[in-house]
Amino acid sequence: MKVRLDEMHAADGSVREHYRVYDEWLRRQPPELMRARREEAEMIFRRVGITFAVYGAKDEDGAGTERLIPFDLIPRVIPGREWAEMQAGLAQRVTALNRFIHDVYHEQAILRAGVVPADQVLNNAQFRKEMMGVAVPGDIYSHISGIDIVRAPDLGDPGSGQARTYVLEDNLRVPSGVSYMLENRKMTMRLFPELFSMHRVEPVAHYPDLLLDTLREVAPAGVNEPAVVVLTPGMYNSAYFEHAFLAQQMGVELVEGQDLFVKDGFVYMRTTQGPRRVDVVYRRVDDDFLDPRAFRSDSALGCAGLLDVYRAGNITLCNAIGTGIADDKSIYPYVPKMIEFYLGEKPILNNVPTWLCREADDLKYVLDHLGELVVKEVHGAGGYGMLVGPAASKAEIEDFRRVLLAQPANYIAQPTLSLSSCPTFVDAGIAPRHIDLRPYVLSSGKGVRTVPGGLTRVALKEGSLVVNSSQGGGTKDTWVLE
């Protein structure tokens, strides 16, 4: 029997302790009031411009489309003790991942020890040989990490009814979504101010201050008042709202590649008062597009000569070039071993069992069980390029089988987790929908910091396990109770 795990209700239907006050409040709310609040939220989000562009989607005039990410009124509530363990596990995991990235670009001890196969790193498309031997401040490569976490029935004992926390993915390149975490909280406080007098909810509004502190702390040596900028690909990028939002919240300049230039070994931005030196770049541009001299020569999104300045230690890029080697899904299965190798500790957070399709035995198992598994591209993101076996038709499974046989090294497979659900306000009323959580972890070498909670993403389609906004998912406010 498949065990369902609900964040608000226990198996016997009773309301969990940390949701009881909220449940009592919710029962008193007329459905028509909740619908009116949902419409109000949508109107405000649209007025403020909180949208994301959908790549490949066109309107009837052939122009690119922008959509609201649907906001759900019912928050996801996490008790303080549960968050404390999660927070410790996040700090442990991100610390080990940063140690791994530094190691593979320097001593490569973990490769020599055979803990991670050398060919899987050195021949990986995300490995940047240009970073070999490059010193970065504090040996920190992923300054802003988004770690995707789910709760699900214990895979080791699925009939027990016990829940376990699993890490689904490590996002270490340019993790997005934090602006929605902040805007969701503002919206909940605006729509339901009385709720916050009934609960002791940990704040998240200080995230931009923590982010700016982190960016300043990793400035090049000897820079006392670092100039920080946010580098965006431009207004047509799907996350442009977030780039502009974070720059505004931190009080720093939002720049595009054309606003920057290199002179005498330093990076400058063009301003109306003349050139101004830049010390730290929070870049929301992928590696390939950062420097047309070093990577893609056709890129108009970066700054020519940036890599030379970076290698000389005269500018800090957050996140560092080459962090993708640690968030590649083919490297994910080795993270528990990294934690033991670098920290001498047992992992606090669990990985999901993973089959590497590049391995013959793993591939055979996956091909024999395609209808039961989730198969993902190792470089994929946004819910694209994946197969959810139990939700796929026979034709879709057979099409995917051919793709998998053609390029098995490009895929991993995992069991289909029964993600925990949370009550969600949908057109038919309140119904359970599957969720995940993306906490944001900040690292500077002077410590690891998180704001309580993160971005809860919700699969709005009944039965769907895909929470990505590009696939029709929505978001919720996330409350961590003191």
Side-chain angles (χ1 to χ4, degrees), residues 10 31 88 131 139 165 187 191-192 196 221 224 255 270 311-312 322 346 411 427:
M131 288 298 292
D139 294 339
T165 301
M187 183 61 69
L191 296 178
F192 307 114
F196 287 86
N224 296 321
V255 301
R270 297 177 173 88
R311 289 167 62 94
K346 292 292 184 184
Y411 294 90
D427 290 339

Side-chain angles (χ1 to χ4, degrees), residues 111 250 275 291-292 365:
L111 306 186
M250 291 190 289
D291 183 346
Y365 179 87

Side-chain angles (χ1 to χ4, degrees), residues 393-440:
S393 67
K394 288 184 178 180
E396 288 170 334
I397 289 172
E398 291 311 308
D399 287 344
F400 206 93
R401 184 187 304 277
R402 286 189 285 272
V403 172
L404 187 53
L405 282 167
Q407 293 183 308
N410 284 354
Y411 294 90
I412 63 165
Q414 296 171 332
T416 306
L417 295 182
S418 181
L419 307 186
S420 68
S421 61
C422 184
T424 301
F425 193 79
V426 296
D427 290 339
I430 296 174
R433 292 292 185 267
H434 294 296
I435 57 171
D436 79 351
L437 176 68
R438 177 176 290 181
Y440 296 90

Side-chain angles (χ1 to χ4, degrees), residues 3 64 107-108 154 163 165 183 186 213 225 232-233 244 250 278 293 315 318 338 345 354 364-365 374-375 387 405 459:
V3 178
E107 297 84 7
Q108 299 187 343
D154 187 344
T165 301
E183 289 294 320
K186 285 164 62 177
D213 286 347
E225 295 293 332
T232 176
M250 291 190 289
V278 174
R293 288 185 194 163
I315 196 163
C318 302
M338 291 178 201
E345 300 169 358
T354 303
K364 183 178 185 307
Y365 179 87
V374 176
V375 189
L387 174 80
L405 282 167

